Amino acid sequence: MGIKELVKQALAEKENKKYQKRLEQIQVTYPDWVARLESQSSAGQQSEHAGNRKESSQAERSFVVICASKGALGKNSIKDIECYFMKHPEVQLLYGDEDVLPGCSRGDDARTERRSPWFKPDWSPDLLDSQLYFGSVIALRKELFQKVATHYDTYYPGQQFCIVCQQIDDTCYEVLDLAAYEKWVHRCVGLAGAYGKGSTAIGHISSILFHSEDEKEQEKFLEESAWRKECKEERVLDFRKSRMSEAPVVSVVIPSKDQPVMLGKCIQGCLLAGRIEGHGGRKNQELTGTELSMEFLVVDNGSSPENRTKVENLVKRLSESGLMIRYLYSPMDFNFSRMCNLGAEQAKGQFLLFLNDDVELCLPGCIEEMAALADRFFTGAVGLKLLYPDTVRIQHAGITNLPMGPVHKLQFLYDNNSYYYGYNRGSRNVLAVTAACLMVEKDKFQETGGFADELPVAFNDVDLCFRLHELGYWNVCVNGRHAYHCESLSRGADESAEKLERLMRERDKLYNSHPQLSGVDPFYSVHLNREGLDTCIRPAYVTAGNLPQQVREPLEKFEHWQNCHQDPCLMVTIEDSRKEKIQGYGVVLGDNNACYKMQLLFKASSNDLPEAMQNSSMRDTDIYAIRLLGQYRPDLEENMPDQINVALSGFNVSLEEGVLPKGRYRMGLTARNSVTGHRLINWSNRYFEVGESCPAV
């Protein structure tokens, strides 16, 4: 090895050590993070208690606490519960988050560290039907506690309340029989009025109320009990009996253009999914072996004459076989909302199933189960877990609403694994589901006004679900079933600038219509990671060491751009670009990223702006730069295992007003290798606009 190579090797090793030191500094452990969080919370609670009456004694407390696990209450849990009930008089039952602290029940927890935090969503009736997610501890007002204890024997004859819990002191009870307790909890929820439209009877306190002895104590709440399975079967059977005489029950609306073969597969999948499943050993067997009554409305916005003829022949053949199907041919520019509304207007069913023509339903009983959920008075939209074709990789398991906008958590991950306390299992309430497969009761759809025509391509499904949520309904994603969505596995890195700009415009329209939901999701804990396009569901403490990079001083021009080699090996990803914030990552593929210093670039491109926004002093060769400090991105390590030292390749930049001249800028990155001096440059298709009322795109 020559001297130059030895010097380069030594320099690279130096950069590796700096990288590891920075990584250690930025990583935060759960015990440290939760200690700081609870210290801040405790200070706030003390201040709040000082303004209220003196803390009540056990005998005076207006609530009881029930513990269902081996473990211990948190140090401040009783105070937190009391304060919450005082602030929220409408809440009848309260649950909280929890973690694991081995030895806590024996009092020898000082030698162990806390771990495995379970951060929960706000009140989620469908999640409670899938798992006893309230977990290890609940608190309820004494009036409700006494009411449920009195009525329990009426609903479950022969089972006295004493088999459920035993009293420890005036405030606390412990669970004796988890199966009986599960029924008792559901009775509590029902008597509290928690299923009413927009009910606020169930509260969730986003702090650790309980420490379990080990993870097995948490896992027992995730298992599907025989009683819950029986309740699910009863719900489907009750729906079946109530709807068998009505025809059609479900109207399937399929927007489709120039895809006759795919359309045929989609309809055949629906016919399979519309078959009614039998329930071995159950009553009402005479109702099995039939099909759910359905009609199909194919909405075509302008197929070619050849494809139109093929669809007409398909519809004729299916109609002659006895299928209720109509072909609505209406040439127009693509507008998914308008096409769906057109189909809904002519639908005769009590339930609308909006279905992309590239979705293949594959499990008998699937549509019936969705309809049975949609039939409940408190349910809004019902979605389905979608997988990529011929894989077990997840495409959709519900939509999460983050500060950067609506995202698909768990996308691209393998469904043969269970994620974060069963997130991809059973059914769970979400803020929105995709209209690639969305069912809603027709009356509720009409109550919302239908899909928004002003959102022709993106976020129209999210907007519909937001409106259902605002009306007090709960949207639900059925993750115990699945269909295949024939969407590309590509992440869309080659999307055009025009497509991205339209996407951002429609995102802005979405939040202009629903400002109170901007960055808010009651079904995704504030203590879970909310930054970037990380598809995993991971606690926020993992990236808590990341702080936004504040840019306050005017940016200097980047003068070395002509010396940079433009190369796609420099991967540039802009995930979020709002008015004052830019977030993403940059990775040099096939090289040691610890050796690269990166800068975020803004290349002037003001000549295509409206005249009022043009800056005559700016040239298209003007490039401004921000030196990036690097942020921890564990998802890059996981998703790019063949790349070297990519964990600190993220960035989150916050720009103050005045740091850039007014104009339009294309965003990119430059990377300089500190060992070789080699410079790379590459550009994204994202633009940033600076000026009055100019959103980033």
mmCIF file of all heavy atoms in Angstrom, residues 170-184:
data_model
loop_
_atom_site.group_PDB
_atom_site.id
_atom_site.type_symbol
_atom_site.label_atom_id
_atom_site.label_comp_id
_atom_site.label_asym_id
_atom_site.label_seq_id
_atom_site.Cartn_x
_atom_site.Cartn_y
_atom_site.Cartn_z
ATOM 1 N N ASP A 170 -58.856 1.600 49.589
ATOM 2 C CA ASP A 170 -60.053 2.370 49.236
ATOM 3 C C ASP A 170 -60.053 2.833 47.781
ATOM 4 O O ASP A 170 -61.102 3.163 47.231
ATOM 5 C CB ASP A 170 -60.174 3.601 50.151
ATOM 6 C CG ASP A 170 -60.562 3.211 51.568
ATOM 7 O OD1 ASP A 170 -61.138 2.121 51.728
ATOM 8 O OD2 ASP A 170 -60.277 3.996 52.488
ATOM 9 N N THR A 171 -58.879 2.904 47.166
ATOM 10 C CA THR A 171 -58.784 3.399 45.791
ATOM 11 C C THR A 171 -58.516 2.296 44.784
ATOM 12 O O THR A 171 -59.030 2.333 43.674
ATOM 13 C CB THR A 171 -57.664 4.460 45.687
ATOM 14 O OG1 THR A 171 -57.967 5.538 46.572
ATOM 15 C CG2 THR A 171 -57.516 4.989 44.271
ATOM 16 N N CYS A 172 -57.707 1.315 45.134
ATOM 17 C CA CYS A 172 -57.182 0.354 44.169
ATOM 18 C C CYS A 172 -57.789 -1.040 44.294
ATOM 19 O O CYS A 172 -58.050 -1.528 45.400
ATOM 20 C CB CYS A 172 -55.666 0.254 44.303
ATOM 21 S SG CYS A 172 -54.805 1.784 43.855
ATOM 22 N N TYR A 173 -57.984 -1.648 43.103
ATOM 23 C CA TYR A 173 -58.423 -3.032 42.992
ATOM 24 C C TYR A 173 -57.438 -3.753 42.078
ATOM 25 O O TYR A 173 -56.784 -3.132 41.235
ATOM 26 C CB TYR A 173 -59.820 -3.123 42.376
ATOM 27 C CG TYR A 173 -60.938 -2.608 43.251
ATOM 28 C CD1 TYR A 173 -61.100 -1.245 43.472
ATOM 29 C CD2 TYR A 173 -61.833 -3.489 43.856
ATOM 30 C CE1 TYR A 173 -62.129 -0.762 44.265
ATOM 31 C CE2 TYR A 173 -62.875 -3.020 44.648
ATOM 32 C CZ TYR A 173 -63.014 -1.650 44.845
ATOM 33 O OH TYR A 173 -64.034 -1.188 45.635
ATOM 34 N N GLU A 174 -57.363 -5.078 42.231
ATOM 35 C CA GLU A 174 -56.554 -5.863 41.314
ATOM 36 C C GLU A 174 -57.422 -6.924 40.648
ATOM 37 O O GLU A 174 -58.373 -7.454 41.253
ATOM 38 C CB GLU A 174 -55.364 -6.513 42.007
ATOM 39 C CG GLU A 174 -55.713 -7.581 43.013
ATOM 40 C CD GLU A 174 -54.474 -8.243 43.601
ATOM 41 O OE1 GLU A 174 -53.353 -7.755 43.358
ATOM 42 O OE2 GLU A 174 -54.644 -9.251 44.317
ATOM 43 N N VAL A 175 -57.110 -7.221 39.387
ATOM 44 C CA VAL A 175 -57.898 -8.163 38.593
ATOM 45 C C VAL A 175 -57.541 -9.592 38.965
ATOM 46 O O VAL A 175 -56.361 -9.948 39.061
ATOM 47 C CB VAL A 175 -57.664 -7.915 37.085
ATOM 48 C CG1 VAL A 175 -58.297 -9.011 36.247
ATOM 49 C CG2 VAL A 175 -58.209 -6.553 36.681
ATOM 50 N N LEU A 176 -58.572 -10.421 39.147
ATOM 51 C CA LEU A 176 -58.382 -11.832 39.470
ATOM 52 C C LEU A 176 -58.539 -12.723 38.248
ATOM 53 O O LEU A 176 -57.874 -13.750 38.131
ATOM 54 C CB LEU A 176 -59.383 -12.265 40.548
ATOM 55 C CG LEU A 176 -59.301 -11.536 41.898
ATOM 56 C CD1 LEU A 176 -60.439 -11.986 42.804
ATOM 57 C CD2 LEU A 176 -57.954 -11.788 42.557
ATOM 58 N N ASP A 177 -59.448 -12.360 37.353
ATOM 59 C CA ASP A 177 -59.768 -13.191 36.188
ATOM 60 C C ASP A 177 -59.790 -12.285 34.955
ATOM 61 O O ASP A 177 -60.714 -11.487 34.785
ATOM 62 C CB ASP A 177 -61.127 -13.863 36.396
ATOM 63 C CG ASP A 177 -61.493 -14.819 35.277
ATOM 64 O OD1 ASP A 177 -61.182 -14.523 34.111
ATOM 65 O OD2 ASP A 177 -62.116 -15.854 35.560
ATOM 66 N N LEU A 178 -58.772 -12.419 34.098
ATOM 67 C CA LEU A 178 -58.642 -11.509 32.963
ATOM 68 C C LEU A 178 -59.789 -11.675 31.971
ATOM 69 O O LEU A 178 -60.267 -10.686 31.398
ATOM 70 C CB LEU A 178 -57.302 -11.729 32.257
ATOM 71 C CG LEU A 178 -56.925 -10.689 31.193
ATOM 72 C CD1 LEU A 178 -56.776 -9.307 31.815
ATOM 73 C CD2 LEU A 178 -55.644 -11.090 30.462
ATOM 74 N N ALA A 179 -60.248 -12.910 31.752
ATOM 75 C CA ALA A 179 -61.348 -13.138 30.806
ATOM 76 C C ALA A 179 -62.627 -12.467 31.287
ATOM 77 O O ALA A 179 -63.352 -11.840 30.501
ATOM 78 C CB ALA A 179 -61.568 -14.639 30.615
ATOM 79 N N ALA A 180 -62.924 -12.582 32.583
ATOM 80 C CA ALA A 180 -64.107 -11.919 33.135
ATOM 81 C C ALA A 180 -63.925 -10.403 33.135
ATOM 82 O O ALA A 180 -64.871 -9.653 32.877
ATOM 83 C CB ALA A 180 -64.364 -12.423 34.558
ATOM 84 N N TYR A 181 -62.701 -9.962 33.397
ATOM 85 C CA TYR A 181 -62.399 -8.530 33.418
ATOM 86 C C TYR A 181 -62.616 -7.901 32.041
ATOM 87 O O TYR A 181 -63.119 -6.781 31.920
ATOM 88 C CB TYR A 181 -60.955 -8.330 33.877
ATOM 89 C CG TYR A 181 -60.438 -6.915 33.780
ATOM 90 C CD1 TYR A 181 -60.933 -5.912 34.614
ATOM 91 C CD2 TYR A 181 -59.437 -6.573 32.870
ATOM 92 C CE1 TYR A 181 -60.453 -4.606 34.532
ATOM 93 C CE2 TYR A 181 -58.949 -5.284 32.786
ATOM 94 C CZ TYR A 181 -59.459 -4.303 33.614
ATOM 95 O OH TYR A 181 -58.977 -3.024 33.528
ATOM 96 N N GLU A 182 -62.273 -8.628 30.987
ATOM 97 C CA GLU A 182 -62.452 -8.116 29.637
ATOM 98 C C GLU A 182 -63.925 -7.806 29.362
ATOM 99 O O GLU A 182 -64.260 -6.747 28.827
ATOM 100 C CB GLU A 182 -61.937 -9.135 28.624
ATOM 101 C CG GLU A 182 -62.052 -8.668 27.191
ATOM 102 C CD GLU A 182 -61.446 -9.655 26.230
ATOM 103 O OE1 GLU A 182 -61.563 -10.872 26.453
ATOM 104 O OE2 GLU A 182 -60.845 -9.197 25.238
ATOM 105 N N LYS A 183 -64.819 -8.716 29.722
ATOM 106 C CA LYS A 183 -66.257 -8.477 29.560
ATOM 107 C C LYS A 183 -66.693 -7.296 30.413
ATOM 108 O O LYS A 183 -67.503 -6.465 29.995
ATOM 109 C CB LYS A 183 -67.048 -9.730 29.950
ATOM 110 C CG LYS A 183 -66.753 -10.948 29.097
ATOM 111 C CD LYS A 183 -67.547 -12.150 29.610
ATOM 112 C CE LYS A 183 -67.210 -13.416 28.829
ATOM 113 N NZ LYS A 183 -67.949 -14.588 29.343
ATOM 114 N N TRP A 184 -66.149 -7.223 31.609
ATOM 115 C CA TRP A 184 -66.508 -6.155 32.547
ATOM 116 C C TRP A 184 -66.094 -4.786 31.991
ATOM 117 O O TRP A 184 -66.849 -3.814 32.083
ATOM 118 C CB TRP A 184 -65.838 -6.440 33.892
ATOM 119 C CG TRP A 184 -66.238 -5.520 34.989
ATOM 120 C CD1 TRP A 184 -67.323 -5.627 35.808
ATOM 121 C CD2 TRP A 184 -65.538 -4.340 35.412
ATOM 122 N NE1 TRP A 184 -67.353 -4.595 36.717
ATOM 123 C CE2 TRP A 184 -66.269 -3.782 36.487
ATOM 124 C CE3 TRP A 184 -64.374 -3.705 34.991
ATOM 125 C CZ2 TRP A 184 -65.869 -2.623 37.133
ATOM 126 C CZ3 TRP A 184 -63.972 -2.549 35.640
ATOM 127 C CH2 TRP A 184 -64.719 -2.022 36.692
#
